[in-house]
Amino acid sequence: MTHESTAVGLASAYSNATTASGDWWRDAVIYQVYVRSFADSDGDGIGDLRGVRSRLPHLARLGVDAVWLTPFYVSPQADGGYDVADYRAVDPLFGDLADADELVRAAHGLGLRVIVDVVPNHTSEQHPWFRAALAGEPGARERYLFRRGRGADGSLPPNDWESIFGGPAWTRVADGEWYLHLFAPEQPDLDWTHPEVTAEFDSVLRFWLDLGVDGFRIDVAHGMVKADGLPDIGRGAQATLIGAEPLPFFDQDGVHEIHRSWRRLLDSYEGARIGVAEAWAPSSERLALYVRPDELHQAFNFRFLNCPWDPAAMRTVIDESLSATTAVGAPTTWVLSNHDVVRHVTRYGGGPRGLARARAAAMLMLSLPGSAYLYQGEELGLPEVSDLPPDSRQDPAFRRGRRQRIPVGAPTPGIIAPRDGEPPTRPQAAASTRPEAQTGAGPQARECCGPEADAGTAPEPQLAPQARTSTRPQAGPGTGPAPEAQGQTGPEAEAGIGPQAQACCRPQAGAEPASEAQGQTGPEAGSGTGPEVRVGCGPQAGTGAGAGPDLPTAPEAEGQDGLRDGCRVPIPWAGAEPPYGFGPGGSWLPQPPEWAGLSVAAQTGDPHSTLELYRAALELRRAMPGLGAAGAGPSPDPSGMRWLPSPDGVLLFTRPGFACTLNTRPEPVELPAPGRPVLSSAPVETDGRTVRLPPDSCTWWAF
């Protein structure tokens, strides 16, 4: 069976047919576009909104339902745009407001919905509100979390909280007060108990909803409310606790009232506008609270992303995720990669084996009840780029160093105060002179997270020929260990049979931890047989918050690993040499020479390519009644999914008229054929009664 057996068409026919449906998001496939790395229209080497618009036909042909855009707002770009200086204007780096409007209209014309990032936990230090706070404007500091320090002279941080990026989560200004920043010092946290903060973000959401966007991905949706009194945690390496243990700065009950108010706002607009939480919680049950009927529509399921290549672990995560969300009447989401974590080809071992597992995992994900998120380039089978030169990296955690006091008084216009001896840089916010760039009081900010690791780009495993009964399956992708993952900073506990993927907590250097898997901090995820790979933004060994300014933040007090740039390298579109059609100039991060064979143009029409596998899988997902949503109506019913007995190392489940087999073993496995094979990530051999499943493969069946 091959992809060639399925027609590949535009998404618009399906999407337009369901435009009136209020529950389109329950089984939607949503594609994440990391704007600066998707497509460049003007030759400056950085992706932009016009570039995204020019490549929308690719997404329509791929068969996704919606596009999620990472931040493109006015920003100094200290954290890839997650440090927002103006929430209502487009940074000149990415275009202007007219480009955003045209992109939304073009997407809708192709039947694609558009979701944009909103960053409510923090703003940029260049935001007018924070400038006013440093300048001593009366009441301005009340919008943020300024506190007096501890100790006789106030020279110690107000508490022991650590930044996700490493070091204390506090920076002291010249008059002696400290301000909280759970991420970079350039990203001061807002105080959501202040009514002006609430009103400002309601206004920001309405601005973009009026422009026509279909929803928001809410960055650090679990972080806006802090525990009363800002209590100490009493231990270091706090980023590794995110998503695993209760913390006073994340997943506080008070965030839910904010999300309820936003749900009411979203419901006041026509067209089923949605809210998606990038939230880290200690359990599936806590995460499900974000998607209760009166709160948000979806929440990222990072447990699935972090899961090792192990059938028992996968089944546990799937069952617990479905049970928790079904209890509140919400769909589950599934995701394998995002802008904050090591690409899953590499996490699963790299090379041919990692690619085989990545293809199989994608088919498993797309066969589960609920909604799926794809990260740009995963449909091409892209590996992590682990050998980027240090001077090209832009993840703020990579360059964390000794911090300086910030002087009281408005910063010099157009200049970001240098840290660590780095030269001053021009914030993008200063470049915007259009009226829409002026926002009055205020806006918001952004996040971080990071990957690393390596993955070979050996020839991709073959797709199984349709209903071929006499062809023996290939021995499968190579079984040797993947090349050593680069940039690792410390041992993690290995689990499963492959590289360990430690997820971090939630940050991003241009997008969020999680995401969104954003930065993961939860339990490690091992898989494959390759090297240990740290995933996402979550940090590693910390030493606890230190005392006072000019404190070392690396490596003595580590946060996330600072290597998230490896998953953000601009994707290849066509051509034999970089930038592979990314734009008329170069690319802000260098692309590997071997990516020529992984481009969209190189894979289009090749029935054995990863791109055509994704296209076929998304086509079948719509065509087969048993896929997509678990059931009709507002309450998905995962009881339509049933696990069947299977050999060790194999998962087998059915949904109405459909079966899925996943062989995680490094050798073929024989079992009774559960139906007629319709798509496989590697060649299968069947006589109609029995089937020989290839190693590290997934097959879909109809019956």
Side-chain angles (χ1 to χ4, degrees):
M1 94 206 71
T2 70
H3 311 206
E4 297 169 313
S5 66
T6 64
V8 177
L10 290 178
S12 55
Y14 173 85
S15 298
N16 287 337
T18 59
T19 297
S21 172
D23 61 357
W24 66 270
W25 43 275
R26 289 187 172 274
D27 63 350
V29 177
I30 300 173
Y31 187 99
Q32 180 190 356
V33 167
Y34 189 67
V35 176
R36 64 168 49 228
S37 297
F38 194 65
D40 172 24
S41 71
D42 58 12
D44 65 357
I46 297 175
D48 48 49
L49 296 182
R50 289 186 181 183
V52 174
R53 190 182 70 202
S54 72
R55 296 297 187 178
L56 289 176
H58 166 70
L59 303 184
R61 183 179 181 187
L62 183 62
V64 301
D65 302 294
V67 181
W68 154 30
L69 303 173
T70 56
F72 48 79
Y73 313 114
V74 170
S75 166
Q77 302 296 318
D79 185 21
Y82 282 89
D83 50 316
V84 182
D86 187 340
Y87 291 92
R88 297 178 183 83
V90 174
D91 195 291
L93 194 66
F94 304 121
D96 57 28
L97 200 57
D99 292 323
D101 181 65
E102 291 170 9
L103 191 161
V104 171
R105 293 175 184 272
H108 288 169
L110 290 170
L112 299 168
R113 292 174 171 87
V114 178
I115 296 169
V116 299
D117 252 303
V118 65
V119 187
N121 180 71
H122 46 263
T123 70
S124 165
E125 66 176 353
Q126 297 294 321
H127 189 280
W129 277 3
F130 196 70
R131 284 175 174 257
L134 292 185
E137 180 179 305
R141 291 192 181 184
E142 295 175 7
R143 300 169 181 143
Y144 295 90
L145 291 163
F146 277 84
R147 296 290 187 273
R148 285 290 176 185
R150 295 191 290 195
D153 58 356
S155 62
L156 301 178
N159 64 23
D160 68 356
W161 293 2
E162 296 173 356
S163 164
I164 303 307
F165 291 143
W170 297 90
T171 288
R172 196 180 192 190
V173 298
D175 66 5
E177 283 202 319
W178 299 74
Y179 69 88
L180 178 69
H181 52 85
L182 291 178
F183 298 95
E186 296 90 344
Q187 296 167 292
D189 279 42
L190 288 160
D191 185 347
W192 271 83
T193 66
H194 196 292
E196 289 184 29
V197 175
T198 301
E200 170 64 11
F201 277 94
D202 283 354
S203 175
V204 168
L205 296 186
R206 290 186 183 280
F207 178 88
W208 292 104
L209 290 169
D210 290 343
L211 187 106
V213 304
D214 300 283
F216 301 94
R217 177 265 194 190
I218 302 165
D219 185 61
V220 199
H222 55 300
M224 291 104 84
V225 174
K226 281 69 175 178
D228 290 343
L230 309 183
D232 283 344
I233 294 174
R235 56 183 292 191
Q238 294 164 11
T240 64
L241 308 179
I242 300 172
E245 297 184 17
L247 292 170
F249 51 71
F250 279 162
D251 193 40
Q252 296 294 302
D253 289 340
V255 300
H256 296 290
E257 185 51 46
I258 298 171
H259 299 320
R260 289 188 188 98
S261 69
W262 284 5
R263 178 60 180 264
R264 292 190 293 271
L265 191 158
L266 290 165
D267 287 349
S268 71
Y269 282 78
E270 296 181 354
R273 317 292 180 94
I274 71 169
V276 182
E278 184 229 353
W280 288 92
S283 67
S284 295
E285 291 73 23
R286 287 289 301 180
L287 183 64
L289 299 180
Y290 291 82
V291 290
R292 287 176 288 191
D294 63 342
E295 293 196 37
L296 302 174
H297 300 75
Q298 294 183 343
F300 288 131
N301 183 358
F302 297 124
R303 290 189 64 204
F304 184 73
L305 182 152
N306 289 334
C307 194
W309 186 252
D310 174 82
M314 290 178 177
R315 179 167 174 172
T316 296
V317 167
I318 291 168
D319 285 345
E320 291 181 355
S321 299
L322 289 171
S323 176
T325 53
T326 301
V328 296
T332 300
T333 64
W334 313 101
V335 63
L336 290 168
S337 284
N338 63 32
H339 66 287
D340 283 325
V341 303
V342 174
R343 286 186 178 273
H344 58 280
V345 167
T346 298
R347 294 203 321 271
Y348 288 143
R353 165 164 287 184
L355 180 59
R357 289 172 170 172
R359 288 159 59 102
M363 287 188 61
L364 171 66
M365 175 179 71
L366 292 171
S367 66
L368 295 171
S371 177
Y373 281 77
L374 308 181
Y375 177 52
Q376 66 177 44
E378 75 170 77
E379 77 276 19
L380 305 178
L382 297 184
E384 188 78 1
V385 179
S386 60
D387 58 353
L388 291 170
D391 60 359
S392 73
R393 293 190 179 276
Q394 297 192 26
D395 184 344
F398 182 76
R399 301 189 181 282
R400 63 186 183 268
R402 304 184 73 82
R403 302 222 289 243
Q404 302 174 346
R405 285 186 178 88
I406 295 182
V408 172
T412 303
I415 296 296
I416 299 174
R419 289 183 172 84
D420 252 358
E422 296 177 355
T425 57
R426 178 192 64 82
Q428 293 296 330
S432 179
T433 57
R434 297 180 306 282
E436 63 268 19
Q438 311 304 319
T439 74
Q444 211 172 51
R446 223 329 258 172
E447 12 183 86
C448 47
C449 204
E452 62 243 80
D454 161 5
T457 52
E460 302 176 343
Q462 303 282 308
L463 275 180
Q466 169 95 31
R468 186 177 296 176
T469 60
S470 60
T471 305
R472 289 199 52 86
Q474 315 237 336
T479 57
E484 181 88 358
Q486 300 189 18
Q488 287 170 210
T489 58
E492 281 95 40
E494 173 80 359
I497 53 173
Q500 178 187 45
Q502 177 162 13
C504 28
C505 59
R506 130 310 104 158
Q508 47 252 60
E512 78 313 38
S515 128
E516 139 170 17
Q518 298 193 336
Q520 271 92 278
T521 59
E524 290 80 65
S527 69
T529 56
E532 171 186 57
V533 177
R534 181 183 296 277
V535 177
C537 48
Q540 46 260 41
T543 61
D550 296 333
L551 293 172
T553 60
E556 295 90 338
E558 291 183 301
Q560 58 189 83
D561 51 36
L563 300 177
R564 290 175 295 156
D565 296 309
C567 63
R568 300 173 180 183
V569 174
I571 65 174
W573 292 96
E577 297 179 352
Y580 305 118
F582 172 65
S587 60
W588 68 284
L589 287 172
Q591 301 156 302
E594 60 269 22
W595 277 17
L598 299 179
S599 71
V600 173
Q603 296 194 45
T604 294
D606 177 358
H608 307 307
S609 71
T610 300
L611 175 58
E612 294 297 349
L613 175 64
Y614 270 75
R615 286 172 172 169
L618 290 172
E619 185 82 6
L620 283 170
R621 181 180 165 94
R622 291 202 173 95
M624 300 184 73
L627 289 179
S635 299
D637 178 13
S639 64
M641 175 178 164
R642 185 163 65 99
W643 296 103
L644 299 182
S646 57
D648 289 344
V650 174
L651 290 179
L652 169 58
F653 67 85
T654 62
R655 298 180 65 187
F658 169 86
C660 178
T661 54
L662 177 75
N663 179 18
T664 66
R665 292 166 59 171
E667 67 277 337
V669 175
E670 290 190 4
L671 70 160
R676 174 177 60 86
V678 293
L679 188 67
S680 181
S681 64
V684 296
E685 179 181 321
T686 179
D687 59 9
R689 296 184 300 276
T690 61
V691 60
R692 185 177 173 86
L693 298 175
D696 298 322
S697 70
C698 185
T699 304
W700 288 359
W701 309 80
F703 58 84

mmCIF file of all heavy atoms in Angstrom, residues 106-123:
data_model
loop_
_atom_site.group_PDB
_atom_site.id
_atom_site.type_symbol
_atom_site.label_atom_id
_atom_site.label_comp_id
_atom_site.label_asym_id
_atom_site.label_seq_id
_atom_site.Cartn_x
_atom_site.Cartn_y
_atom_site.Cartn_z
ATOM 1 N N ALA A 106 -6.393 35.655 3.107
ATOM 2 C CA ALA A 106 -5.927 34.620 2.179
ATOM 3 C C ALA A 106 -6.121 33.229 2.774
ATOM 4 O O ALA A 106 -6.521 32.288 2.075
ATOM 5 C CB ALA A 106 -4.460 34.854 1.829
ATOM 6 N N ALA A 107 -5.829 33.090 4.051
ATOM 7 C CA ALA A 107 -6.018 31.793 4.704
ATOM 8 C C ALA A 107 -7.485 31.391 4.682
ATOM 9 O O ALA A 107 -7.827 30.241 4.346
ATOM 10 C CB ALA A 107 -5.504 31.855 6.143
ATOM 11 N N HIS A 108 -8.353 32.315 5.014
ATOM 12 C CA HIS A 108 -9.781 32.007 4.996
ATOM 13 C C HIS A 108 -10.241 31.627 3.591
ATOM 14 O O HIS A 108 -11.119 30.770 3.427
ATOM 15 C CB HIS A 108 -10.584 33.193 5.524
ATOM 16 C CG HIS A 108 -10.441 33.398 6.999
ATOM 17 N ND1 HIS A 108 -10.896 34.536 7.647
ATOM 18 C CD2 HIS A 108 -9.899 32.619 7.963
ATOM 19 C CE1 HIS A 108 -10.641 34.439 8.942
ATOM 20 N NE2 HIS A 108 -10.030 33.277 9.161
ATOM 21 N N GLY A 109 -9.653 32.254 2.596
ATOM 22 C CA GLY A 109 -10.006 31.909 1.224
ATOM 23 C C GLY A 109 -9.641 30.488 0.844
ATOM 24 O O GLY A 109 -10.237 29.894 -0.062
ATOM 25 N N LEU A 110 -8.654 29.931 1.534
ATOM 26 C CA LEU A 110 -8.236 28.542 1.296
ATOM 27 C C LEU A 110 -8.880 27.573 2.285
ATOM 28 O O LEU A 110 -8.550 26.385 2.302
ATOM 29 C CB LEU A 110 -6.712 28.429 1.407
ATOM 30 C CG LEU A 110 -5.897 29.087 0.291
ATOM 31 C CD1 LEU A 110 -4.418 29.104 0.662
ATOM 32 C CD2 LEU A 110 -6.108 28.341 -1.023
ATOM 33 N N GLY A 111 -9.794 28.079 3.100
ATOM 34 C CA GLY A 111 -10.439 27.219 4.077
ATOM 35 C C GLY A 111 -9.616 26.968 5.313
ATOM 36 O O GLY A 111 -9.879 26.016 6.052
ATOM 37 N N LEU A 112 -8.613 27.788 5.562
ATOM 38 C CA LEU A 112 -7.746 27.629 6.723
ATOM 39 C C LEU A 112 -8.087 28.676 7.777
ATOM 40 O O LEU A 112 -8.213 29.861 7.459
ATOM 41 C CB LEU A 112 -6.277 27.788 6.322
ATOM 42 C CG LEU A 112 -5.715 26.791 5.311
ATOM 43 C CD1 LEU A 112 -4.350 27.268 4.814
ATOM 44 C CD2 LEU A 112 -5.588 25.405 5.936
ATOM 45 N N ARG A 113 -8.202 28.267 9.004
ATOM 46 C CA ARG A 113 -8.386 29.212 10.094
ATOM 47 C C ARG A 113 -7.028 29.686 10.602
ATOM 48 O O ARG A 113 -6.012 29.029 10.373
ATOM 49 C CB ARG A 113 -9.204 28.574 11.212
ATOM 50 C CG ARG A 113 -10.659 28.315 10.802
ATOM 51 C CD ARG A 113 -11.395 27.555 11.878
ATOM 52 N NE ARG A 113 -12.819 27.483 11.597
ATOM 53 C CZ ARG A 113 -13.405 26.554 10.850
ATOM 54 N NH1 ARG A 113 -12.662 25.613 10.291
ATOM 55 N NH2 ARG A 113 -14.706 26.557 10.645
ATOM 56 N N VAL A 114 -7.028 30.817 11.313
ATOM 57 C CA VAL A 114 -5.773 31.413 11.778
ATOM 58 C C VAL A 114 -5.844 31.639 13.285
ATOM 59 O O VAL A 114 -6.754 32.305 13.782
ATOM 60 C CB VAL A 114 -5.487 32.748 11.065
ATOM 61 C CG1 VAL A 114 -4.196 33.360 11.599
ATOM 62 C CG2 VAL A 114 -5.389 32.531 9.554
ATOM 63 N N ILE A 115 -4.859 31.086 13.988
ATOM 64 C CA ILE A 115 -4.714 31.268 15.432
ATOM 65 C C ILE A 115 -3.416 32.026 15.672
ATOM 66 O O ILE A 115 -2.388 31.715 15.061
ATOM 67 C CB ILE A 115 -4.679 29.901 16.146
ATOM 68 C CG1 ILE A 115 -6.019 29.181 15.953
ATOM 69 C CG2 ILE A 115 -4.369 30.055 17.628
ATOM 70 C CD1 ILE A 115 -5.994 27.731 16.385
ATOM 71 N N VAL A 116 -3.455 33.029 16.524
ATOM 72 C CA VAL A 116 -2.251 33.814 16.802
ATOM 73 C C VAL A 116 -1.881 33.687 18.276
ATOM 74 O O VAL A 116 -2.716 33.381 19.123
ATOM 75 C CB VAL A 116 -2.438 35.304 16.433
ATOM 76 C CG1 VAL A 116 -2.720 35.455 14.952
ATOM 77 C CG2 VAL A 116 -3.550 35.951 17.252
ATOM 78 N N ASP A 117 -0.612 33.912 18.544
ATOM 79 C CA ASP A 117 -0.119 33.868 19.919
ATOM 80 C C ASP A 117 -0.535 35.115 20.685
ATOM 81 O O ASP A 117 -0.572 36.215 20.121
ATOM 82 C CB ASP A 117 1.410 33.806 19.917
ATOM 83 C CG ASP A 117 1.942 32.442 20.326
ATOM 84 O OD1 ASP A 117 1.592 31.995 21.426
ATOM 85 O OD2 ASP A 117 2.696 31.842 19.555
ATOM 86 N N VAL A 118 -0.825 34.950 21.961
ATOM 87 C CA VAL A 118 -0.962 36.086 22.857
ATOM 88 C C VAL A 118 -0.094 35.776 24.073
ATOM 89 O O VAL A 118 -0.005 34.632 24.515
ATOM 90 C CB VAL A 118 -2.435 36.343 23.252
ATOM 91 C CG1 VAL A 118 -3.004 35.195 24.063
ATOM 92 C CG2 VAL A 118 -2.578 37.658 24.006
ATOM 93 N N VAL A 119 0.587 36.799 24.585
ATOM 94 C CA VAL A 119 1.587 36.596 25.637
ATOM 95 C C VAL A 119 1.194 37.409 26.869
ATOM 96 O O VAL A 119 1.640 38.541 27.039
ATOM 97 C CB VAL A 119 2.988 37.009 25.144
ATOM 98 C CG1 VAL A 119 4.050 36.628 26.170
ATOM 99 C CG2 VAL A 119 3.294 36.360 23.806
ATOM 100 N N PRO A 120 0.374 36.853 27.757
ATOM 101 C CA PRO A 120 -0.158 37.644 28.872
ATOM 102 C C PRO A 120 0.624 37.588 30.166
ATOM 103 O O PRO A 120 0.328 38.349 31.086
ATOM 104 C CB PRO A 120 -1.547 37.030 29.079
ATOM 105 C CG PRO A 120 -1.359 35.597 28.706
ATOM 106 C CD PRO A 120 -0.337 35.576 27.598
ATOM 107 N N ASN A 121 1.606 36.720 30.288
ATOM 108 C CA ASN A 121 2.319 36.618 31.560
ATOM 109 C C ASN A 121 3.288 37.767 31.774
ATOM 110 O O ASN A 121 3.523 38.178 32.908
ATOM 111 C CB ASN A 121 3.091 35.294 31.625
ATOM 112 C CG ASN A 121 3.855 35.135 32.916
ATOM 113 O OD1 ASN A 121 3.265 34.937 33.983
ATOM 114 N ND2 ASN A 121 5.187 35.228 32.847
ATOM 115 N N HIS A 122 3.847 38.287 30.689
ATOM 116 C CA HIS A 122 4.885 39.309 30.813
ATOM 117 C C HIS A 122 4.888 40.193 29.576
ATOM 118 O O HIS A 122 4.327 39.843 28.542
ATOM 119 C CB HIS A 122 6.263 38.653 30.983
ATOM 120 C CG HIS A 122 6.505 37.537 30.006
ATOM 121 N ND1 HIS A 122 6.308 36.213 30.322
ATOM 122 C CD2 HIS A 122 6.906 37.543 28.716
ATOM 123 C CE1 HIS A 122 6.581 35.449 29.271
ATOM 124 N NE2 HIS A 122 6.951 36.237 28.283
ATOM 125 N N THR A 123 5.525 41.343 29.684
ATOM 126 C CA THR A 123 5.720 42.220 28.538
ATOM 127 C C THR A 123 7.223 42.308 28.258
ATOM 128 O O THR A 123 8.035 41.715 28.958
ATOM 129 C CB THR A 123 5.203 43.644 28.807
ATOM 130 O OG1 THR A 123 6.068 44.282 29.760
ATOM 131 C CG2 THR A 123 3.777 43.656 29.327
#
